[in-house]
Amino acid sequence: MRFWAIFASVFACLLLQPLSPMARPALAQDQSWLQVEAQPDLATAQDRARAYAAVFPNVEGYRTGAWYSVVLGPMTREEAGQQLLSLRAENLIPRDSYIADGSSFGPRFWPVGANDTVIVPQTPEDPALAAPADIAPPQETLADARDAENALSPEDKQALQTALAWFGYYDGAIDGAYGKGTRSSFAAWQSAKGYEPTGVLRTAERAQLLAEEAEETALYGFDLVSETESGIEAVLPMSLIAFQSYEPPFVQFAPRKNGGPRLMLISEPGDRASLAGLYDLLQSMEIVPPAAVLAEGQAPDRTLGEDSFTINATSDTLATYAWARASKGQVKGFILTWTPDNAAEMARIVQVTQASFRAIGDKVLDPGLVPLDEAARQGLLTGLTPRKPSFTRSGFYVTPQGAILTLAQDLDTCSRITVDGDLTASLTATDPATGAALLTPAKPLSPPAIAAFATAAAPRGADILVAGYAYGDKLPAPVLTYGRLDEANGLAGEPGIARLSAPVLDGDQGGPVLTNSGAVIGLLTGPSRDTSKTLPPGVVFAADAAALTAFLTRQALTPTPFSGADLPPDALSAAALGMTLRVDCWK
């Protein structure tokens, strides 16, 4: 059954081609053949020709020097190139088959009985005509390859340059002019494929290069997409993605199947400031893996230049490449996300998309193209889900270099800790006695204010205030919550713990507790850790200043002692807000 299927397919390709202007009968001077085999003796060559003739309708055989060549043809050179690609792809002819122009053909020996010179098999006793056993079959010489190349049309030459560029070997003009750059690119491709790097492609090599490009094009479905609404043109992998929606500033392309890539085109009005804002905001989105959770061995590539940015981040479950450029009052680019196990093919998509990407016209995606609420319109980030921390709490600066005290609870479960928005910090030490943790920012800071610790216990009933991010990241600055110091000990008289009455929230935990003088008397630890008891509302606890300064001293830090009179309300608020910052935990 397979034999007849192959026969039908090949017969349709080679014999029943329509007589269109592109496939008309060849003129004598334009005839070409596919040379598929060469044998050293006539009997073997006839056997091989007979085998090919059982499948192909146009088998011929010619004496070529000391060899007997089996060929398919004749046909036009264009047809020969097409058939070489398709038959090699189906493994119906050897990989080293090539296009011959017939100039080396001698007498014909197949088909038997054809009106041509009859070749009589030579006897082994005739040494002048016997083929030496150690002579290899005739191959296309470098001179032949040059002649064949010179015969190519300008379009054919440009197609080879395009294929070289497709695979990253060539970045020059697609002009069909084979200068030093093209020759070097040919040689680089030949070396990569294990061929002699001559800089001139033989017929089989040209066919392989074009076949590999055609195979990849079919695999990804690369197609030049002119997206007029966004003013963007690029080659996109349309076999893997499909247009989904306009969500300014994005054109959304969804994966065609689960686990496939997702692509977004970026198009909005703006300048370098807009570009920088988009760069910062994208890194707070779920589609961009944070730096601390990158897969082992990976390094983040996040570069903001004068007029463009690149983000290239990979985690164990997600990979994202984002690129955009600001030019002529427009910000345009693209974002591609995929799963890391498809890294090789995604690298090709990134390469092809970015190399072909260009702005067309003066148009950007109209924010009014689809209905958006005001928040989405202001952020211009609809369609992207902001990445949220696992929990948020407060902390405060304790040294001029930016060392931070906060609540230690659950920080050891964080894969990444950020402070003050997006600055990474490391967990340096914890204190089981107080429940406090010391954080060290990734780079030295200049805090607006630092804690000055009380050197004596505050009186019972003293007014206090707690500075903290009570509402997490919903507000851009900490809030102040006022309360009272109920006792300088725990409920059971435990030292090092202060009991407070204050309507604080979970986000306040880790923040500083201050008196009206501005002295820090503790770190808010929250309600009692004894879950077997339910305390009245507003009863909370704090690790006291003496225990905190002892902890810092053990870490070779020098806490600042408080000295001075009560601060005016404005100065007290400024000090409390200046020393307090947000602490985010990312799982």
Side-chain angles (χ1 to χ4, degrees), residues 390-413:
S390 297
F391 61 81
T392 295
R393 61 175 54 135
S394 303
F396 57 100
Y397 294 111
V398 294
T399 69
Q401 293 74 34
I404 300 160
L405 273 183
T406 187
L407 183 64
Q409 184 180 355
D410 295 329
L411 284 182
D412 58 350
T413 67

Side-chain angles (χ1 to χ4, degrees), residues 99-431:
I99 299 175
D101 61 8
S103 60
S104 63
F105 291 174
R108 185 160 69 173
F109 67 85
W110 190 272
V112 176
N115 263 338
D116 290 291
T117 304
V118 177
I119 297 178
V120 179
Q122 303 298 325
T123 63
E125 288 75 18
D126 187 353
L129 296 176
D134 59 349
I135 295 180
Q139 298 291 327
E140 188 176 22
T141 66
L142 185 59
D144 292 337
R146 287 188 184 278
D147 291 341
E149 180 182 88
N150 291 333
L152 294 176
S153 68
E155 293 76 18
D156 289 339
K157 291 183 177 181
Q158 292 170 13
L160 290 169
Q161 288 177 322
T162 300
L164 284 173
W166 190 266
F167 292 111
Y169 292 97
Y170 180 67
D171 59 2
I174 307 298
D175 54 10
Y178 288 180
K180 184 177 180 180
T182 302
R183 295 298 179 197
S184 297
S185 300
F186 280 147
W189 180 87
Q190 288 171 317
S191 294
K193 297 298 178 180
Y195 298 125
E196 180 185 0
T198 62
V200 179
L201 299 185
R202 290 176 167 82
T203 300
E205 293 168 358
R206 293 198 302 272
Q208 179 179 344
L209 174 59
L210 295 175
E212 289 176 353
E213 180 200 18
E215 180 180 356
E216 185 172 281
T217 302
L219 174 64
Y220 298 115
F222 283 124
D223 194 14
L224 183 63
V225 175
S226 294
E227 222 304 309
T228 55
E229 289 292 343
S230 61
I232 290 173
E233 185 175 82
V235 175
L236 304 181
M238 299 310 295
S239 289
L240 305 181
I241 60 175
F243 172 80
Q244 183 181 37
S245 61
Y246 291 110
E247 296 180 12
F250 303 110
V251 184
Q252 298 269 13
F253 290 84
R256 289 187 180 272
K257 63 179 182 179
N258 291 337
R262 175 178 290 274
L263 185 138
M264 289 173 278
L265 300 178
I266 303 168
S267 175
E268 63 172 335
D271 53 14
R272 188 186 184 281
S274 304
L275 183 80
L278 180 63
Y279 172 77
D280 290 336
L281 286 169
L282 282 180
Q283 295 182 77
S284 69
M285 301 293 110
E286 285 186 345
I287 63 167
V288 178
V293 296
L294 290 178
E296 184 176 355
Q298 295 287 330
D301 180 3
R302 301 161 193 252
T303 304
L304 176 62
E306 285 299 317
D307 62 356
S308 66
F309 71 70
T310 300
I311 299 173
N312 187 3
T314 304
S315 71
D316 292 331
T317 58
L318 177 67
T320 296
Y321 184 91
W323 172 86
R325 173 182 290 133
S327 177
K328 299 179 180 179
Q330 302 175 351
V331 175
K332 293 185 177 181
F334 68 95
I335 306 169
L336 182 69
T337 62
W338 65 91
T339 54
D341 54 344
N342 293 327
E345 67 180 37
M346 290 304 106
R348 285 293 300 132
I349 293 175
V350 167
Q351 180 185 28
V352 171
T353 302
Q354 188 159 357
S356 62
F357 188 98
R358 71 185 188 98
I360 53 175
D362 298 325
K363 192 171 184 179
V364 295
L365 204 59
D366 180 7
L369 188 63
V370 294
L372 299 176
D373 58 34
E374 188 59 29
R377 191 181 304 282
Q378 289 177 358
L380 287 178
L381 286 170
T382 180
L384 295 181
T385 304
R387 189 172 63 251
K388 295 292 185 182
S390 297
F391 61 81
T392 295
R393 61 175 54 135
S394 303
F396 57 100
Y397 294 111
V398 294
T399 69
Q401 293 74 34
I404 300 160
L405 273 183
T406 187
L407 183 64
Q409 184 180 355
D410 295 329
L411 284 182
D412 58 350
T413 67
C414 306
S415 62
R416 181 181 181 228
I417 300 171
T418 57
V419 296
D420 201 22
D422 59 358
L423 178 62
T424 299
S426 57
L427 179 59
T428 304
T430 59
D431 183 20

Side-chain angles (χ1 to χ4, degrees), residues 45 49 59-63 68-71 105-111 119:
V59 177
E60 295 182 348
Y62 294 92
R63 180 74 176 268
Y68 300 88
S69 297
V70 181
V71 299
F105 291 174
R108 185 160 69 173
F109 67 85
W110 190 272
I119 297 178

